[in-house]
Amino acid sequence: MLTTEPSAPSPRAGLLDPIFNDLGITLHADGATLRVWSASASSLELVIFDDTDLDWALDTLPLEPRGDDVWEITTTALRPGVRYAVRANGPYGPGNTFNPQTLLIEPYSKGLVSTGYQDWRSVVVDGEFNWGGVQKPAIPMDRTVIYETHVKGISKRHPDVPPSLHGTYAGLAHPAMIEHYLKLGITSIQLLPVHQFASEPRLLQLGLTNYWGYNSVNFFTPHSAYATQAARSEGPEAVLREFKGMVKLLHEAGLEVILDVVYNHTAEEGIGGPRSSFRGIDNRNYYRQQDEGTYIDVTGCGNSVNTATDAAARLVLDSLRYWAQDVQIDGFRFDLAATLGRDSHHSFTPEHPLLRAIIDDPQLAGVKKIAEPWDVGLGGWQTGNFGEGWLEWNDRYRDRVRNFWLSDVDYARRAASAPVGIGGFATRLAGSSNTFSAERGPLASVNFVTAHDGFTLRDLVSYDVKHNMGNGEQNRDGASTNRSFNHGAEGPTTDEGILATRRKAMRNLLGTLLLSAGVPMLTAGDEFGRTQRGNNNAYCHDSALTWMSWQNSPWQEDLFAHVQRLLAVRAENPALRPVHFARLGELTPSASVMEWFDEGGQTMSSERWTDPSHRTLQYVASSTPESEEFNRILLIVHGNETSIDVTLPLVDDVQGFTSLWSSADDVPLVPGDSYVPGGAVNMPPTSMHLFRAS
C-alpha cells in the first residue's frame, strides 16, 4: 500500500486569503450555504427559529469543518426571512469563553431581530433593491463639504417632515430635508453610527441611552430603530430597503452619504459583558488580549477588536465592501482608526495590512476614507501619520483655531496681550503643511472646529466649563479642556454686548473653517447656533437636548445666511480649495500660491509671525488651475479686540479687490464693494474680511 507524506500547508496571503471568501450566508435557488470562521472552536451548530416565536428552535444542524478554520453547512432551511443563530463549543479558560448553550449572532449577518437586551437572532436577507440607474455623485475632494449629523436628531423635530418619518432613514431623505442640505450648500452627509448598536447596561439603569451609537452589535446590519414603524413591522428586509432608499434619494439630489463606522470595539464590552457574537465564536482571535486572557483595551470601551488577526481584519474589509457596493455608500469615517492599525505587538503602524488593504482594494476605489487618527492606548495619537489615500480628522487644526479666536482672546483680556502670535493659525488656514506631507497635500486634512463630541459652536462661545451633570457621572465625563470662552457670562445671558460678541465669534470660527485649505466638516445645527446647554458629552441623551431645532430666532437665520454665503464663496473660488501644496520656485498644478502681508501691506516679517501683539495678517492665494479659471483671493484676519486700519497690499497684476464676505456684520453684506491696492480697510475688533482680486 502506498503512503504519502502530508503536504505542507500552503502559504497564506493574509487577510486577502481565499479561505475568507464567502463567509456568512450565500443564497442558492433551493436554500443557502452558511460559512463561519473560528480557529478555537471544537464544534459549531446552526439553530433555526420560528418566524414569530424567537425562543422556539425548530431545528439544530451541525456545521462541518472545511479546513483553514472555516465551518460550513448547506441547507434548504436557510431562506430569506429565516431567523437563525449559531452556537459554538470549545475550551473555556484563559483567552476563550465558549458556552455551547449561548445563541450567537453570525458575524456576517445582514439582518437582525431582538428578543430583549443583547438577545439577538440573525435573519437571512436577499437585499433585492432597484437602484434605477442612480449613480454615486463622486464629489471631488476639493469640492467636498462634510455635514456631520445624526439620523434621528436631524429630522425628529422638523415641521415639514411627516410625523411617521420623524427621526428615520426615510425622514433624513425627505424632500424638506434635502431642500435644507442643498440650500445650505454642503455636498456630503456624514452619519453618526448606523450599524446595529445597543445601549450599555449602566446607561439603561440610569434611564439614559446610547444616543450616538458607538457601541456596535454587528458590522453589516443597519440599526433598525432608525427605520419607520412600517419597515420595522415588516422586518429586516424592509429596514434594509428603507436604508437603501435613503441613499438613492440623496444620490439623486447629488449628495453623498458617508458612514461613521465603529470597527475598533463591540458592544460585548469587557470580560463579563454580553457574549453575543465574537466572544462566543472565537474570543482569543477577535479581541486583543494578554496571554492570560486579560483584554488589552485601547478604546476605553472594554474591548478592542484584534485586527492583527487576518480573520478580524478581513471581517472589517468585507463589511466596508458590503456597504460600499451593495448599499452604495460613498465614504467612511473610521472611529478610533489608530486601533485598526495596531499590529500583533499592539503598536500602530501606517503600513498595517488592513489599512493598506482598505486603500488598495478595487472594490473601495473612489470611496472616501477618513481616519479619526487616535485611540486611548499607548502611542495612540497619530494625527498626520496615516498613509497616502487617507484623510484625517485634524485635531491640531481644531485646537489652534479655537485658541486663536477664543482662549487667546480670553487670555488677552486678562493679560493685555495674547499668548502667541498669528503664525500657527496661518499654517492651519493654509492646509496644515506641518502635519501632512507634500505627497498627501492639504486635502488630507479634514478641518473641523466642532463635532458630535464636545461643545456645539454656540456653546463653545458661551461656556467656559462643561455642564454634564445630566449624564449621571457627577460631571466627570467629557473633555475638561475645551479652549472655549464665554465672553463674560457663563451660559444664557441678556447682555446684548456679550451676545453680539458671541455671534461674531461664531462667524469667525465658521469663516475660518469654510475658507481654510483642506476638507471642511460642519456639525449639523451649528449653521443655526444650536445649543446643548453646556453639555459637551451628550452621547447619552435622546431628547430635545440633542435633536435639532427648526424653530429659530432671527439671529439664527442670519447665521445660516453667513454659512450659505461662505459655502457659495468656497465653491466659486478655487484658490480657497487647493489640491496640492505649492512649492517654492515651482509651478504646481491645482495648488494655491500664497503670499502673506501684515496690516501695513508689507510682506510679513518673521518677527510679526510670532509677535503676540500683532495678530493681523493679509493672505493672498492665487490658484494654479488645471480645469477652472485662474482665481485669486485676499483674506484679512484680525485677531485683537481693538479696531485697526489695514493697508491693502500691492500685488502683481492686481487692479482691485472686490468684497465678498465679512464676519463683522450680523447680516451678510451684499458683495460688490471695490477697493484699490494700497487703499485702507477698517477692520473691527476680532474680525475677518474676504475679497476677490482682479
Side-chain angles (χ1 to χ4, degrees), residues 371 373 382-386 390-394 436 440 444-446:
Q382 295 293 335
T383 305
N385 293 333
F386 280 68
W390 284 96
L391 289 73
E392 299 178 40
W393 271 27
N394 190 348
F436 300 101
R440 297 179 67 192
S445 177
V446 173

Side-chain angles (χ1 to χ4, degrees), residues 458 528 551-559:
R458 180 174 170 184
F528 290 126
Q551 306 300 317
N552 295 313
S553 303
W555 74 265
Q556 293 176 293
E557 297 297 338
D558 292 340
L559 186 64

Side-chain angles (χ1 to χ4, degrees), residues 586-629:
E586 299 180 18
L587 178 63
T588 304
S590 295
S592 288
V593 178
M594 300 168 186
E595 302 172 81
W596 304 91
F597 303 92
D598 62 20
E599 62 269 30
Q602 304 299 309
T603 299
M604 284 283 284
S605 65
S606 57
E607 293 78 16
R608 285 296 179 97
W609 281 117
T610 57
D611 187 344
S613 64
H614 291 278
R615 286 163 53 88
T616 306
L617 66 76
Q618 301 187 75
Y619 163 53
V620 175
S622 304
S623 70
T624 53
E626 294 180 275
S627 59
E628 299 182 77
E629 295 295 322

